[in-house]
Amino acid sequence: MSEARAGTTHRRGRLVAMAALAAGAGAVAWALRDLPAAFGRRPDGEREERLRNSPQYRDGVFHNAPSELARAAAPSGIDPETVHRVLFQRADRTPNGAVPVVRPPDAAGAAAEGVAVTWYGHASALVEIEGSRVLLDPIWSERCSPAALVGPRRLHPVPVELEELPQVDAVLISHDHYDHLDMATVRRLVRSQSAPFAVPLGIGAHLRRWGVPEHRIIELDWDETCTLGDLALTLTAAHHFSGRGLTRNTTLWGSWVVAGPNRKVYYTGDSGYFEGYARIGAEHGPFDAALVQVGAYDPAWADIHMTPEDAVLAHRELNAELLLPVHWCTFNLGLHPWSEPVERLLVAAKEHGVRLAVPRPGERVDVDNPPELDGWWEGVG
């Protein structure tokens, strides 16, 4: 090959490489275009004044209620041993086979006159109660992350597209972590639904930034109730934290009581075990069902996530009938084996005589006639 021809080939190679780099940089820039918006926004003006008046707010942030029962976390939270486990202890944290997903039945008609729950995976669920529908912590994105290229990815597909859901009467958010409050899902719900978003104090600022109209935002403090037709929705306490960027606890977190005229459902959100469950059970129970967080626990953060045994204890103190485990199966957020939350839950529930339903993602549970436990997860984990 002549020297001139070799030089031309070399230049072409450089141009191709530069074009590839530019294309890659463009793809990354495109994927990160919504990153600033995904972090949300802090409340301002008169809304910030309402935060400052909350009994949970002091020194510029929200706080958990004092607790003598909350499990002590490992010193300093994330210690070197925990970091080592995060990086190198990966065995069994994801399923070995395909997670069985059920397409929910067509729900275009009226909601159940009793109580029914359709679990879509992780903490996302649709509660039907005496003719009303309530959507809990919906996340339909491929990752629970502010960016499309990084973060925990789904371990199973969504059972149904978001736009195929029936019209709901309310969307409830427990706190602003990415696996419970997803910007892309919120934006889709603005277009496909007309229901209000009921959220803990401060989260309304995120929703406003993402285009949710003011008349569709209801912000509540602990023990405050909003009434929507026959529904009474009460934000109750949880023992957790909040934050989407580098700052923590500028928005409130909580759990939810969903009450119809005669029936009630409770949702824990994310929480460590604490005294609040006995109080919530005494003030708002009994409950026909409780959706209880059972996954992503670890000694390093024992104060903010319950173990399966804690979940059974909380369920009993809530004075609830049927326990439906949530916050497991869909995203790899913990250090325990994928199916361990349900396996430990079964043992604890049997020991204390707690009624339990473990639906597949997308499966609808009639609370008055729940399906028998069939161990569907055993062949997957």
Side-chain angles (χ1 to χ4, degrees):
M1 181 183 297
S2 69
E3 184 175 337
R5 187 175 180 184
T8 300
T9 302
H10 179 66
R11 286 193 296 272
R12 286 177 179 170
R14 286 171 56 192
L15 289 173
V16 169
M18 290 172 64
L21 285 172
V28 171
W30 176 259
L32 298 178
R33 70 195 186 281
D34 286 334
L35 188 61
F39 290 141
R41 177 184 295 153
R42 292 195 61 160
D44 53 18
E46 63 183 46
R47 298 185 181 98
E48 190 172 8
E49 181 66 24
R50 188 179 176 206
L51 269 62
R52 286 197 293 265
N53 290 333
S54 168
Q56 282 62 249
Y57 193 84
R58 63 182 181 275
D59 302 323
V61 293
F62 287 98
H63 295 262
N64 285 308
S67 174
E68 296 180 359
L69 298 181
R71 314 302 192 201
S76 302
I78 307 299
D79 55 18
E81 180 185 350
T82 302
V83 173
H84 183 273
R85 288 188 293 129
V86 169
L87 295 175
F88 301 108
Q89 183 180 309
R90 298 185 176 275
D92 301 325
R93 284 166 54 184
T94 57
N96 295 320
V99 176
V101 174
V102 176
R103 180 173 174 83
D106 184 10
E113 290 302 317
V115 179
V117 176
T118 303
W119 179 58
Y120 300 115
H122 198 57
S124 302
L126 181 69
V127 174
E128 301 172 59
I129 182 166
E130 296 185 278
S132 298
R133 291 187 176 97
V134 176
L135 186 60
L136 305 177
D137 280 353
I139 171 170
W140 256 251
S141 290
E142 185 65 18
R143 298 180 187 271
C144 53
S145 168
L149 297 179
V150 296
R153 195 168 191 170
R154 282 188 171 274
L155 302 176
H156 64 78
V158 293
V160 63
E161 286 303 320
L162 193 63
E163 289 74 15
E164 297 180 63
L165 295 186
Q167 289 296 300
V168 302
D169 297 279
V171 180
L172 304 188
I173 303 297
S174 63
H175 63 295
D176 72 358
H177 287 159
Y178 293 105
D179 57 321
H180 294 260
L181 178 63
D182 177 60
M183 179 180 70
T185 301
V186 167
R187 286 176 166 174
R188 290 170 66 181
L189 286 170
V190 169
R191 298 189 295 268
S192 64
Q193 297 279 344
S194 59
F197 292 77
V199 301
L201 286 178
I203 293 180
H206 300 328
L207 303 185
R208 293 180 188 96
R209 182 170 191 182
W210 301 338
V212 180
E214 188 66 38
H215 70 274
R216 290 180 62 180
I217 300 174
I218 302 170
E219 293 186 78
L220 300 178
D221 202 345
W222 289 349
D223 300 319
E224 290 184 344
T225 300
C226 67
T227 302
L228 301 171
D230 290 335
L231 280 174
L233 307 172
T234 303
L235 182 70
T236 43
H239 202 276
H240 200 56
F241 72 106
S242 67
R244 296 179 71 82
L246 298 178
T247 58
R248 280 191 172 189
N249 302 339
T250 57
T251 64
L252 186 59
W253 50 93
S255 56
W256 285 100
V257 172
V258 179
N262 303 293
R263 312 290 295 271
K264 293 181 181 179
V265 172
Y266 178 75
Y267 168 48
T268 63
D270 280 5
S271 179
Y273 173 75
F274 73 126
E275 292 89 338
Y277 293 119
R279 182 180 67 82
I280 292 167
E283 293 182 5
H284 298 281
F287 297 101
D288 296 277
L291 287 78
V292 185
Q293 171 256 305
V294 301
Y297 48 83
D298 191 86
W301 49 85
D303 56 332
I304 57 169
H305 277 168
M306 288 187 286
T307 65
E309 295 77 17
D310 289 335
V312 168
L313 178 57
H315 182 84
R316 295 171 63 206
E317 293 185 346
L318 287 163
N319 195 12
E321 286 292 327
L322 184 68
L323 191 161
L324 288 99
V326 298
H327 205 269
W328 80 286
C329 178
T330 306
F331 298 106
N332 178 11
L333 301 178
L335 302 179
H336 51 68
W338 175 79
S339 61
E340 183 183 281
V342 167
E343 293 168 353
R344 287 174 54 173
L345 184 71
L346 289 174
V347 174
K350 183 176 181 180
E351 179 182 351
H352 295 284
V354 168
R355 294 176 62 231
L356 188 65
V358 184
R360 297 161 175 79
E363 190 171 359
R364 183 175 183 268
V365 174
D366 180 346
V367 168
D368 294 328
N369 187 28
E372 294 185 6
L373 298 173
D374 60 5
W376 62 264
W377 56 89
E378 293 172 359
V380 180

